[in-house]
Amino acid sequence: MTISRCKLQLKEKIKKECINPNSLFDSRQYGFSQIVISNPGKLVFISGRVAWDENSNIVRGNDLAKQAQKSIDNLKKK
């Protein structure tokens, strides 16, 4: 698997690493990366993850906490 990565260091010594796995669509043309890892500590921002079931239906109604958990569960399956 090929992963596109970028590493930036800003004036304030904030580091940002962008990760774009080739198994996902190339979002860079739209101005964002699939995954961004930053400091302080280790902050991870993941874009475009949805609370889908195996039939691409949104699940768990209007409950944001449950949808977030389903999105995380879906990431674990990848």
Side-chain angles (χ1 to χ4, degrees):
M1 173 168 82
T2 302
I3 296 177
S4 169
R5 293 178 182 258
C6 69
K7 291 188 178 183
L8 302 173
Q9 185 168 355
L10 305 175
K11 287 188 231 178
E12 298 83 24
K13 301 203 183 218
I14 296 173
K15 295 178 182 178
K16 178 175 85 169
E17 179 180 3
C18 306
I19 302 173
N20 293 287
N22 67 349
S23 60
L24 302 174
F25 83 97
D26 188 357
S27 60
R28 292 173 294 173
Q29 63 184 325
Y30 300 104
F32 68 95
S33 292
Q34 295 290 339
I35 303 165
V36 176
I37 301 172
S38 183
N39 67 345
K42 191 164 199 173
L43 302 173
V44 179
F45 302 91
I46 302 171
S47 69
R49 304 304 98 196
V50 183
W52 280 340
D53 65 11
E54 50 281 340
N55 298 314
S56 299
N57 297 309
I58 300 291
V59 297
R60 304 199 180 157
N62 293 323
D63 188 322
L64 181 59
K66 288 181 180 178
Q67 285 191 359
Q69 185 60 55
K70 178 62 177 167
S71 296
I72 292 167
D73 293 344
N74 288 344
L75 285 171
K76 292 176 182 178
K77 292 179 182 179
K78 292 282 178 181

